[in-house]
Amino acid sequence: MRLETLAVHAGAEPDAETGALAPPIHLSTTFRHGPAAERIAGYEYQREGNPTQDRLEAALAALEGGAAALAFASGMAAIAGLLEILPPGARVLLPDDCYSGLRNLATQFLPQRGATVAFVDMADLAAVEAACAPATTLLWLETPSNPLLKLADIAAVARIAHAHGAVLACDNTFATPVLQQPLALGADVVMHSTTKYFGGHSDVLGGALVFARRDALFDAALHRRHLAGAVLAPFSAWLTLRGCRSLAARMALHCANARKLAEFLAAQPAVARVNWPGLATHPGHAVATAQMRDYGAMLSIHLRGGREAALAVAGRLRLFLNATSLGGCESLVEHRGSTEGAHPVSPQDLLRLSVGLEHADDLIADWAQALAAA
Ligand SMILES: *Cc1c(COP(=O)(O)O)cnc(C)c1O
């Protein structure tokens, strides 16, 4: 089945009891069992697993082409769910441009557990190869990356990781499986902040890990989630599943709008550079074309006038709301340098855009008026 069809039908079997097409939400924390704890319908306690979550996990695994998925309370809980099962002394290689929460979690908490963290430009395969020289446990990819929209060749990085006995995990939040399927390209685990495009309406937090195989890594992550309890609430699982149904259709419009806006912005004198992999001038354009179905709807721009111009333009936008997060129906703009806490790493002249589902002409008009005074 094609992805669009899976998005609508995976985990969507009509309710066996009532025939309801919209899945029931099972809020029960506990499930009746036999006197010696014999399971009756397969469930025991909500933290271990529940029917609403099972539907979502079936859909996530089907969409990513994985063997199994684990839903978590947030994208960060999913990341922690993987980092915290690494063996003592593990070495983790992270991309030099990545979600700031991952950078902070890894650098602040992994060393306490005896793990080491190093950063490398994942677009530079020779650098990745060299960085793998000390025994490496886990390589983490984020492509396109946040917020610079850097591209990494997933298949090539997977070959390097596996040649060194490392696991390859890939944050697929920006692309979604509609645009890119890292497991098919050799990744071992895909991570999602389902808060973003999967949920799609800026109203539900969640995360997921999708595994290529039901192997020891999957078992460890499942066991740790059960014990640590960073599980997704059933209602959140239900909302995320609802988002799955329209994911492919939304991504098509998100991407079409992003293309029009990126081309408009690239022609504006006040804009020094547009980071969007669909532009032929983007250094990762060829890699994106080879491994993605479309180029996504996240972009970032550098303003010629630096930080001041970036903040002034963000302040003049009307349709693009100043807010963090991404992947919702509404377009958002964010000066990442102002939201990364005490030690921002994003360039100060940079604005990150999440292009929404409004009409492209209205989005372009908003930027035209905001840039007119720049
Ligand atoms: C938002 C985000 C995360 C973290 O997910 P939460 O759901 O906010 O915990 C991780 N990676 C990327 C690329 C993100 O955009």
Side-chain angles (χ1 to χ4, degrees):
M1 250 186 276
R2 304 294 182 90
L3 194 120
E4 287 77 359
T5 312
L6 282 176
V8 173
H9 288 284
E13 300 71 31
D15 179 36
E17 204 178 315
T18 62
L21 294 199
I25 307 175
H26 289 286
L27 297 173
S28 188
T29 54
T30 188
F31 298 83
R32 189 163 66 99
H33 60 54
E38 302 92 342
R39 291 192 178 199
I40 295 171
Y43 300 100
E44 183 173 327
Y45 186 58
Q46 193 185 101
R47 173 154 46 75
E48 264 186 325
N50 64 83
T52 317
Q53 175 175 280
D54 277 0
R55 283 180 181 266
L56 173 62
E57 291 177 344
L60 291 167
L63 289 173
E64 284 290 2
L70 294 176
F72 287 85
S74 68
M76 287 305 298
I79 291 173
L82 193 60
L83 294 185
E84 291 179 9
I85 55 171
L86 295 177
R91 180 164 183 276
V92 179
L93 265 185
L94 299 182
D96 57 358
D97 186 50
C98 68
Y99 183 71
S100 59
L102 167 63
R103 184 185 308 112
N104 293 340
L105 182 72
T107 54
Q108 293 168 27
F109 288 91
L110 282 182
Q112 295 176 6
R113 300 180 55 245
T116 53
V117 184
F119 292 88
V120 64
D121 177 1
M122 294 287 178
D124 180 347
L125 295 175
V128 177
E129 178 79 53
C132 281
T136 302
T137 320
L138 175 73
L139 259 85
W140 190 278
L141 270 190
E142 194 180 301
T143 178
S145 69
N146 178 36
L148 298 179
L149 282 299
K150 290 173 73 168
L151 262 288
D153 181 334
I154 299 172
V157 173
R159 279 193 294 274
I160 296 172
H162 295 156
H164 290 83
V167 166
L168 178 65
C170 185
D171 183 335
N172 206 25
T173 300
F174 274 25
T176 81
V178 178
L179 306 185
Q180 156 179 298
Q181 292 176 304
L183 299 180
L185 297 169
D188 303 293
V189 188
V190 159
M191 173 260 152
H192 277 285
S193 166
T194 57
T195 311
K196 315 296 169 51
Y197 289 106
F198 268 99
H201 297 74
S202 306
D203 57 9
V204 57
L205 201 69
L209 296 175
V210 187
F211 295 80
R213 295 164 300 277
R214 268 183 186 273
D215 54 10
L217 190 68
F218 169 80
D219 289 340
L222 173 66
H223 186 53
R224 186 222 171 250
R225 184 186 66 173
H226 175 194
L227 294 176
V231 294
L232 193 62
F235 186 51
S236 297
W238 190 88
L239 281 172
T240 307
L241 192 58
R242 187 183 212 252
C244 282
R245 305 307 176 214
S246 58
L247 180 66
R250 284 185 285 110
M251 289 313 290
L253 182 53
H254 277 300
C255 291
N257 279 350
R259 166 170 297 284
K260 290 178 188 158
L261 187 62
E263 285 170 356
F264 169 82
L265 291 170
Q268 302 309 303
V271 177
R273 194 167 86 227
V274 176
N275 302 316
W276 186 64
L279 295 174
T281 50
H282 187 284
H285 181 65
V287 170
T289 304
Q291 75 186 14
M292 299 177 76
R293 249 169 82 175
D294 203 335
Y295 302 96
M298 291 303 296
L299 54 109
S300 56
I301 60 171
H302 299 263
L303 276 295
R304 277 197 206 288
R307 174 188 160 87
E308 264 175 53
L311 295 180
V313 168
R316 281 194 293 269
L317 286 162
R318 295 181 197 131
L319 216 43
F320 271 79
L321 301 170
N322 280 260
T324 196
S325 199
L326 59 111
C329 299
E330 64 289 313
S331 292
L332 302 178
V333 63
E334 186 179 33
H335 183 249
R336 290 293 291 173
S338 296
T339 53
E340 288 172 343
H343 307 289
V345 293
S346 291
Q348 288 293 322
D349 64 353
L350 181 113
L351 292 176
R352 190 188 76 179
L353 286 63
S354 169
V355 183
L357 300 179
E358 302 91 338
H359 196 288
D361 293 351
D362 292 329
L363 298 179
I364 289 171
D366 194 27
W367 277 90
Q369 65 81 22
L371 288 170

